[in-house]
Amino acid sequence: ESDIDRALEEARRLARGTNPLLVASGDKAIFRGPPEGFIAYRTAGRFLVAYADPVGPAGSERELLAAFLELAAALDRDVILYQITPALLPVAHDFGFTFFKLGEEAIVDLERFDLKGNKAKSWRHAINSVEKEGGRFEVVPGSTLPPLLPDLREVSDDWLKDKHVVEKRFSLGRFDERYLLRFPCALVRDAGGLLVGFANLLEGPPGTELSIDLMRYSGRRQEIAGLHGVMDYLFLRLMQHGKERGYSRFNLGMAPLASVGEERWARPFERLAHLFFRHGEHWYNYQGLRRYKEKFDPTWEPRYMAYQRPWDWPLASTTTAALIAGGWRALLFPGGERA
């Protein structure tokens, strides 16, 4: 717990975004470099899989990554860098990594975000339709969550059941009480106080990025409360909240495989990924997820996976996919017991 506390303090002070805050999920090892900073990673097969960019003072990424590669060599492991930003590519390139574009993160510019004007008419309607029925939004600190945890878990369980999915790992948080208590939480209630949905807030360094990890709502409770469009409402109120708190951007998360392999000059692996994006809706709603996030008028920033040898792509991709799914069985049967 103390190691996580230290890593969170550094991430809130030194990180360029909010992804490194997922070190709080407790499912990663923490590699430390001098004088401060860290890389969060997991061991999977013959790989050490590092998540997000290294966290440290500006310019320390090269030193941190070099030390991490030395650790991997001493353990006879190879390294995968997962969901890294374009800013890290020059450093990773100098260490001989090969890159695969995973997709793009949707980033809303909060300085331009405004609920006024004709362009925001649909956003105002989404907010008014919920609040006219008595819905309300609030943000509470993690320290006040313990009495709410049974309610939050019931909402989370309803969401997992409705979506026919099981909890993910590594690049996504899961419903874990210790994890949730480390962050503020946004709540949506009906007029009688019934909890309908929630999201935990990931707050980057002041003036930078605000994001969420778990965002869950109960369809059953929505019907009881007579509220509809709770997810749109929660996103819009969170953006407004972030702007009022002085954050410059709101991260809506990844659209996997978005804009991967579209160009005729793309590498064969990326063209294969593009086929999944175009025709893989049976397994995963790739295009629907991208279309949903587009309604908030984001800019799209690429995220990459890096691996040490070009021929590692198939094993690196399946290894990280199994790591996120929670194991090979969960990867092959994502609906859990239903599958």
Side-chain angles (χ1 to χ4, degrees), residues 58-295:
S60 67
E61 297 87 358
R62 186 177 300 272
E63 184 181 6
L64 268 169
L65 186 53
F68 187 64
L69 287 166
E70 290 290 344
L71 169 70
L75 297 174
D76 197 24
R77 296 292 205 281
D78 294 318
V79 168
I80 297 171
L81 308 177
Y82 188 79
Q83 208 164 316
I84 59 174
T85 69
L88 192 65
L89 296 190
V91 174
H93 175 271
D94 288 348
F95 285 109
F97 280 90
T98 298
F99 307 103
F100 173 77
K101 185 178 176 183
L102 295 167
E104 296 179 330
E105 284 188 345
I107 308 295
V108 175
D109 183 348
L110 293 181
E111 294 178 0
R112 293 193 302 109
F113 175 76
D114 196 340
L115 291 172
K116 299 176 183 177
N118 191 56
K119 186 178 179 180
K121 184 177 180 180
S122 62
W123 296 348
R124 293 195 301 273
H125 175 74
I127 291 173
N128 292 336
S129 64
V130 171
E131 295 188 346
K132 187 169 67 175
E133 299 300 325
R136 65 180 193 269
F137 167 86
E138 63 176 321
V139 175
V140 299
S143 60
T144 67
L145 285 181
L148 300 176
L149 287 172
D151 239 7
L152 293 172
R153 181 172 288 281
E154 187 173 325
V155 168
S156 178
D157 289 346
D158 283 352
W159 186 86
L160 292 169
K161 182 179 178 181
D162 289 346
K163 300 296 182 183
H164 305 295
V165 295
V166 294
E167 295 280 17
K168 301 294 190 291
R169 301 288 192 274
F170 192 62
S171 66
L172 296 166
R174 64 191 183 279
F175 192 97
D176 177 85
E177 294 182 359
R178 290 178 301 176
Y179 171 62
L180 288 173
L181 293 177
R182 291 182 176 277
F183 300 104
C185 193
L187 310 175
V188 177
R189 298 182 182 275
D190 74 354
L194 178 69
L195 181 67
V196 177
F198 71 91
N200 66 318
L201 272 62
L202 306 181
E203 300 173 321
T208 61
E209 184 173 284
L210 177 70
S211 185
I212 59 171
D213 179 27
L214 298 185
M215 181 172 181
R216 299 185 174 176
Y217 62 93
S218 167
R220 177 177 59 85
R221 291 186 176 209
Q222 275 193 128
E223 293 300 321
I224 294 172
L227 302 179
H228 301 283
V230 167
M231 192 160 68
D232 286 4
Y233 173 73
L234 190 48
F235 268 132
L236 290 166
R237 282 302 188 203
L238 281 169
M239 292 175 203
Q240 190 177 37
H241 170 78
K243 183 170 185 173
E244 291 169 355
R245 292 281 307 278
Y247 288 95
S248 62
R249 44 192 269 153
F250 185 83
N251 190 333
L252 287 163
M254 279 266 288
L257 303 184
S259 298
V260 175
E262 291 183 340
E263 302 295 341
R264 57 181 291 194
W265 301 278
R267 290 175 295 179
F269 289 145
E270 293 179 335
R271 290 201 295 270
L272 178 62
H274 182 65
L275 288 177
F276 276 105
F277 179 71
R278 293 292 300 275
H279 305 294
E281 295 293 284
H282 177 73
W283 294 283
Y284 189 88
N285 188 23
Y286 291 118
Q287 297 184 71
L289 184 61
R290 169 108 181 182
R291 285 194 299 268
Y292 176 78
K293 293 180 179 182
E294 283 281 10
K295 72 168 69 177

